[in-house]
Amino acid sequence: MYQSRIAGLGKYLPENVVTNQDLSEIMETSDEWIQERTGIEERRHIKKGSGDTTASMGAAAARIAIERADLSTQDIDLILFATLSPDYYFPGSGVLVQELLDIPTCPAMDIRNQCSGFIYALSTADQFIKTGMYKNVLVIGSENHSGGLDMTTRGRGVSVIFGDGAGAAVITREEDPDKGILSSHLHSQGKFAEELSLIGPSTNRWVPEIIAANDPTDESYYPYMNGQLVFKNAVVRFSEVIMEGLTTNGLAPSAIDMLIPHQANLRISQFVQKKFGLGNDQVYNNIQRYGNTTAGSIPIALTEAWEEGKVREGDLIVLAAFGSGFTWGSSIIRW
Ligand code: ACO
């Protein structure tokens, strides 16, 4: 059995910065409210006509990750694409990335696990590498939220939180058994499926049905979030799944060099930091600048932490996520 390790990281953020002040000019909200509840100061929104899409942002992040891994696009054996905002209803965005990267053919798979998407994809990559089936797996998390949010006062509880962007990682075979992804831990609880969801359009609510109803009060095609329930579950599940990962590897919280939590909400990250007694230099947050980019958030944050020299050879890196499904997971990595 092989190990797998992250050999290259990349990110792509659309240029267009949307501040809390910008939002307060189109809906009833304020910089103070948003910062106090979420920590977010600004986020990126794709500008119409810029050409940025979920797949194109993913491909841009992937090109950087592949180059940093000292590989070429032709070395990629499998593409795993995590998103809740794919370019099309079908096919998935993974095949679009394969074409954008000029890879003639390779398997490409989309992973539909929202905020936990990157952790699920990373674990899937790890399994394929461990069995020896593939050597280099490209894992992408990318989201284009902005076009689908209710940018009126009605949707403010959700729309101020989310931003667009992509991150990518190349996962590669590693011979050293003490290095790379030590373990992955995945969970879901469908009982809460509708508490953080976008119900229509879907096979449950087809487009012709929505059009025929012609109901201006219909909100089913906007994301819905039961914010307080999400918060309460997030803090418990984040803590549980980090502890599960540490215990599996016989490690104590003090062994963590860097925790990179999914950037859901700064208050959630701070709660987890406090719970594990970690210092500010042991938890990476960039939600202040990008908002919540769902499947993109961990690879973007991991890329930035690495670029800033905060992820070093030999470090114990913990990735953890919680989100819609509910789904949650963690990955324990010896860099
Ligand atoms: N600006 C101003 N006021 C707002 C806004 C806004 N953007 N959004 C909601 N309000 C108002 C509400 O209308 C409500 O007004 P009312 O008291 O007159 O009815 C008031 O603020 C309080 O609303 P709540 O929804 O109760 O606010 P809460 O304190 O719960 O904060 C929040 C909302 C920030 C979403 C919080 O519940 C939270 O952090 N939840 C966690 C969810 C989360 O982080 N999700 C991230 C995405 S999911 C994930 O990644 C896991």
Side-chain angles (χ1 to χ4, degrees):
M1 254 210 345
Y2 299 101
Q3 282 288 103
S4 74
R5 73 179 162 90
I6 296 178
L9 290 161
K11 67 172 201 274
Y12 178 89
L13 280 310
E15 274 175 28
N16 181 34
V17 175
V18 177
T19 64
N20 293 344
Q21 177 59 30
D22 293 333
L23 292 180
S24 72
E25 284 162 23
I26 55 171
M27 63 180 79
E28 283 173 37
T29 190
S30 66
D31 178 48
E32 194 191 358
W33 193 97
I34 299 171
Q35 282 211 46
E36 192 185 308
R37 311 287 174 116
T38 70
I40 300 166
E41 295 165 28
E42 58 186 44
R43 74 287 291 142
R44 306 293 177 95
H45 282 181
I46 290 175
K47 224 183 178 81
K48 273 208 167 63
S50 68
D52 284 340
T53 67
T54 303
S56 80
M57 294 191 297
R63 283 191 197 96
I64 299 168
I66 293 168
E67 199 189 321
R68 287 176 172 169
D70 274 331
L71 294 173
S72 97
T73 52
Q74 308 311 308
D75 296 317
I76 298 302
D77 301 314
L78 166 70
I79 297 170
L80 297 173
F81 196 104
T83 187
L84 68 66
S85 50
D87 299 59
Y88 310 139
Y89 196 97
F90 70 84
S93 298
V95 299
L96 304 180
V97 166
Q98 173 248 312
E99 177 64 11
L100 286 169
L101 296 181
D102 286 326
I103 302 173
T105 75
C106 79
M109 194 196 299
D110 278 33
I111 304 237
R112 296 283 312 274
N113 287 74
Q114 302 68 249
C115 301
S116 312
F118 185 78
I119 299 285
Y120 269 74
L122 191 63
S123 171
T124 307
D126 183 43
Q127 311 314 315
F128 274 120
I129 289 173
K130 277 203 165 88
T131 59
M133 181 153 175
Y134 297 125
K135 201 168 167 195
N136 300 308
V137 181
L138 174 61
V139 176
I140 298 171
S142 179
E143 303 289 358
N144 170 1
H145 284 305
S146 59
L149 297 171
D150 180 355
M151 300 300 285
T152 68
T153 297
R154 183 179 70 173
R156 66 185 177 174
V158 172
S159 55
V160 301
I161 293 175
F162 294 95
D164 302 335
V170 173
I171 322 303
T172 247
R173 186 183 289 175
E174 169 63 50
E175 309 278 344
D176 183 344
D178 299 321
K179 218 172 156 185
I181 298 173
L182 303 181
S183 64
S184 307
H185 308 272
L186 307 175
H187 299 273
S188 71
Q189 192 177 23
K191 175 172 134 184
F192 296 120
E194 294 192 0
E195 302 296 347
L196 181 50
S197 61
L198 196 159
I199 303 294
S202 65
T203 53
N204 186 48
R205 200 152 156 59
W206 289 104
V207 173
E209 224 180 276
I210 294 174
I211 294 171
N214 193 20
D215 176 4
T217 63
D218 184 4
E219 296 176 35
S220 71
Y221 41 82
Y222 289 122
Y224 166 77
M225 177 174 70
N226 180 344
Q228 286 176 14
L229 184 81
V230 169
F231 195 102
K232 280 181 203 149
N233 278 268
V235 293
V236 172
R237 298 309 193 184
F238 264 112
S239 305
E240 273 177 14
V241 83
I242 292 168
M243 206 56 224
E244 182 184 358
L246 292 172
T247 307
T248 300
N249 293 284
L251 297 164
S254 57
I256 298 175
D257 291 299
M258 182 59 77
L259 167 65
I260 301 189
H262 159 55
Q263 304 291 293
N265 181 320
L266 191 60
R267 307 295 159 237
I268 295 175
S269 295
Q270 287 168 337
F271 181 97
V272 174
Q273 174 177 342
K274 203 166 162 207
K275 167 127 190 155
F276 287 101
L278 301 173
N280 289 339
D281 57 345
Q282 288 170 288
V283 183
Y284 193 84
N285 291 300
N286 61 6
I287 191 170
Q288 300 89 333
R289 286 176 284 128
Y290 304 133
N292 179 336
T293 56
T294 308
S297 94
I298 290 180
I300 294 170
L302 182 57
T303 300
E304 291 200 337
W306 177 81
E307 287 169 346
E308 292 166 21
K310 293 176 176 165
V311 172
R312 293 168 294 256
E313 178 102 23
D315 280 357
L316 188 79
I317 308 298
V318 176
L319 311 179
F322 173 87
S324 160
F326 291 153
T327 59
W328 62 102
S330 66
S331 179
I332 312 294
I333 303 171
R334 179 66 68 189
W335 206 264

